[in-house]
Amino acid sequence: MTDTLRQTGRGEPDLLTAPLSAGNDTPPVRESAVSRRATIDVARTSAARVVSVVAPAGYGKSTLLAEWAATETRAVGWATLDRTDADPAALLSEIAAASVSFSPDAATVMADMRGVGTAALGRSAPLLARALAAAPQSFVLFVDDLHWASSLDCEDALEVLVARVPVGSQIVLASRHVPSVIGRLRACGDVHEVSADELRVDAAGARAIFAQAGATGASDSELVEIVERCEGWPAGVYLCALVARSGGDAAAITGDDRFVADFLYRECVARLPEDTQAFLRRSAVLDRMSAASCNAVLGIEDARSRLFDLEAANLFLISVDRRRGSYRYHSLFHEFLLTELERSEGASAVADLHRRAAEWHDEHGDGEQVVEHLLRAGDTERAAARVAEISLPMYGSGHVATVCRWLDELGDDLVRRHPALVISMTWITVLLGETAAGERWARSLDGVDAAGMPASERAEFESARAMVRAAMGRGGHRQVLADAAYAMAHEPATSPWRDQALHLWGSSLLLAGDAAKAEPIFEEAIDMATIMGNADTVILSAPELALFAMAQGRWGAAREHVEQAVTMVDDSHMEGYPTTTLALAVAARVALHDGDRDHAMRLLARGMRARVGCTHVMPWVSVRARLQLAKAHIALGERGAAWHLMKEIDELLRKRPDVGALNGEVEKLRASMTDEPAGEGSVPLTPAELRLLPYLQTHLTIAEIGQRLFISRNTVSSELGSIYRKLAVTTRGAAVERAVALGMLGG
């Protein structure tokens, strides 16, 4: 059961990255009778850095963007979003990949787009924003289907980006709904808006559409009536043309867009051969289609020729890359086909197709799509089991928001029926320092009755549960020692969790005051983690070895250990994770010993930012990390900051008072500081203030920031005033500039 929790995917890298690359190809221009050149020219020549194209489905937003991209003389980047991009880490990754074509810096920071909590807003978004601002040439960045990324976190990150688009460049956002960032940009006069009214067609446009579709013979009065009934809706007019071409009565339509679409699509599809109709319906279970996926899911062998024929017939099939290797249906047509599939073949047939789609994606290493299809198949038990397998790897890639969405769909009752999923969720919340959720999931984990499990599964589960308890340290250091010992005894050498058990065992020995015995355990943990590819164990264990070396005066060895840890943080894209704090703090101390103050300051800024998630749900890690941060500040002469960190340690110890030998280390450092005054130096931002700081880059009001952080308006005002005092500024803009200079944002 637990063996799968550390798996990162099974499949070739090119298959795993194919969806991203496909979404960043500028699509070929679709043949269209109605050019939007005039609308494009007005938007292009406007002074606005942001162009918003907002209209319901079927108004030609994507076609307008493709025509603009094909005629643009500036450099072009393109991102097409989908349902998996409602996570700021995914959104920023897509936009960074799209920006590589015109910004060398975007290629440099692409790997840093992953993050958790406010890391996306506090580090990733400003890094990418600076890359856009530094682009050596003017550009137009197209972001299509932005409505998929409508979460508040995504919109906040997007606002940071659009604020840095340089003069002479533009970002074009196409969406079914007006993004909140557009409303805020209106006040600045920095947005040009294209609405559905500007995309409607008139009788002349309808004539051109009918001619392109090969529907001749419609009179002027009939075209006027069709335009009126469709209210200028381009997709509706085109559907009418197809109906007319096949001999139907194109003017016999009533109702709003949805009823018009259903009627016309049914008229169009009903005139196709039955095998073509079946292909259309069944392939619609795939959000993106390739010949291989259609063949596998539909059980056919001629999908490639079918897809080419459908594209040639203009049957609402859109190529999403220039190689015509990947396709999608127009969104409204896609929705219609899914409705027709269930109506004509039944819910069980739909579920079976989704299961086959899940199997195909499983074979190609795309775990996220496996879960999506299992959920749509209604196979919640298998979906829950798969979420348990990939949730921790997704934590490692910064896609926690996607996991949370799945959990909402599954519901707490189902989640609690899967012990492996409860373990995963407890680990994730603990590792992210989410106190309320961590305690809640820990209670759920405590309540799991393992008695009815098969013996082998029970042993694995109890070992995993013991490791979570050891990390949380709720029973004091002796209980940590007992839980870690249990895990050591029950995790075999071949277990993907063996390195974690070793790290916890070494840490428990440190808490028991047995440093000599702990050192070789950490070495073994790193060796095992390196073999298994488990970055978090290396990041946590290597700084412990560095501290042993520093105590013995072996600074060269200490340098090697911290370089290993920090390199792993960077290579694994784990910036902002609480578990990186210790490594960054110890690395800062080594840099100061080497006389590299600038490097030490950068490392320390990163460590101070990461400590936001070092809470009492991971007490001994949080205390140990703050001790090293305090020592680094003392070495810098920042005794005020060190005293502040000691106060944070005291708050942690009030909630988790027994951290073994660490209690003595805290008192030893406190005693060494007592005889001297706090001295000069800045007071660091508190974790709460660091959570708030990234939102100062946006135009959010104090009340809106409070809603994001689930705190009151008064609390936001108080924390904002404290930030201003500590940074010695009086405005939000100045606070952001100062924070960037200090490495608190985007560093």
Side-chain angles (χ1 to χ4, degrees), residues 17 125 143 330 415 468 488 553 663 706:
T17 58
V143 182
H330 184 280
V415 169
V468 174
M488 280 292 293
N663 292 103

Side-chain angles (χ1 to χ4, degrees), residues 399-477:
H399 292 96
V400 176
T402 300
V403 177
C404 292
R405 174 171 60 83
W406 290 337
L407 290 174
D408 286 341
E409 291 189 43
L410 292 170
D412 283 357
D413 290 342
L414 179 60
V415 169
R416 291 191 178 96
R417 294 204 300 268
H418 288 261
L421 190 52
V422 176
I423 289 170
S424 295
M425 293 303 97
T426 310
W427 265 125
I428 288 174
T429 52
V430 168
L431 291 171
L432 295 180
E434 296 179 0
T435 55
E439 297 282 11
R440 177 169 60 86
W441 281 110
R443 289 192 296 271
S444 295
L445 183 58
D446 288 341
V448 173
D449 183 3
M453 296 180 184
S456 60
E457 288 191 16
R458 185 168 62 251
E460 292 177 2
F461 172 77
E462 292 294 4
S463 179
R465 179 154 59 180
M467 283 192 279
V468 174
R469 284 200 302 256
M472 297 189 72
R474 290 179 295 168
H477 81 279

Side-chain angles (χ1 to χ4, degrees), residues 618-737:
M618 198 165 45
W620 45 269
V621 173
S622 300
V623 171
R624 195 157 181 77
R626 280 178 171 81
L627 277 174
Q628 298 306 315
L629 289 171
K631 290 179 179 181
H633 278 290
I634 290 171
L636 282 168
E638 297 277 355
R639 301 186 71 85
W643 274 113
H644 186 90
L645 287 162
M646 294 300 291
K647 292 178 181 178
E648 291 183 10
I649 290 174
D650 290 341
E651 183 62 29
L652 290 171
L653 293 178
R654 272 193 284 274
K655 296 176 179 177
R656 294 284 194 274
D658 180 7
V659 288
L662 266 180
N663 292 103
E665 291 185 40
V666 171
E667 293 311 313
K668 182 178 179 181
L669 182 59
R670 193 192 312 277
S672 71
M673 297 168 61
T674 301
D675 294 336
E676 299 183 36
E680 297 297 324
S682 60
V683 177
L685 299 187
T686 66
E689 291 161 1
L690 284 170
R691 289 190 188 95
L692 188 152
L693 181 64
Y695 292 99
L696 301 187
Q697 303 171 101
T698 72
H699 290 87
L700 294 173
T701 65
I702 287 177
E704 289 170 331
I705 293 174
Q707 292 170 359
R708 297 290 199 276
L709 296 173
F710 302 101
I711 57 179
S712 71
R713 177 191 177 97
N714 289 340
T715 301
V716 175
S717 297
S718 176
E719 291 176 358
L720 184 60
S722 180
I723 290 172
Y724 285 176
R725 288 192 300 274
K726 291 177 180 179
L727 298 182
V729 298
T730 57
T731 65
R732 287 173 68 158
V736 170
E737 290 181 9

Side-chain angles (χ1 to χ4, degrees), residues 541-616:
S541 299
E544 300 290 6
L545 295 181
L547 289 170
F548 291 138
M550 290 160 62
Q552 299 163 13
R554 296 184 293 112
W555 287 92
R559 187 179 309 108
E560 292 178 4
H561 291 309
V562 295
E563 286 176 354
Q564 181 185 21
V566 175
T567 298
M568 188 64 76
V569 172
D570 295 337
D571 290 349
S572 302
H573 319 300
M574 294 184 72
E575 186 71 26
Y577 283 63
T579 49
T580 66
T581 309
L582 179 64
L584 295 167
V586 177
R589 291 187 62 195
V590 172
L592 285 170
H593 179 271
D594 292 344
D596 192 345
R597 186 181 178 92
D598 289 342
H599 183 47
M601 292 291 287
R602 289 194 296 273
L603 290 166
L604 192 55
R606 292 170 64 184
M608 290 293 282
R609 188 170 58 219
R611 92 185 194 282
V612 168
C614 286
T615 66
H616 72 269

Side-chain angles (χ1 to χ4, degrees), residues 131-168:
L132 297 181
Q137 55 187 319
S138 296
F139 63 84
V140 183
L141 174 60
F142 298 94
V143 182
D144 198 13
D145 290 340
L146 182 62
H147 48 268
W148 287 117
S150 59
S151 69
L152 295 178
D153 289 341
C154 285
E155 296 216 350
D156 293 341
L158 185 64
E159 183 172 351
V160 174
L161 297 187
V162 301
R164 297 295 300 274
V165 174
V167 175

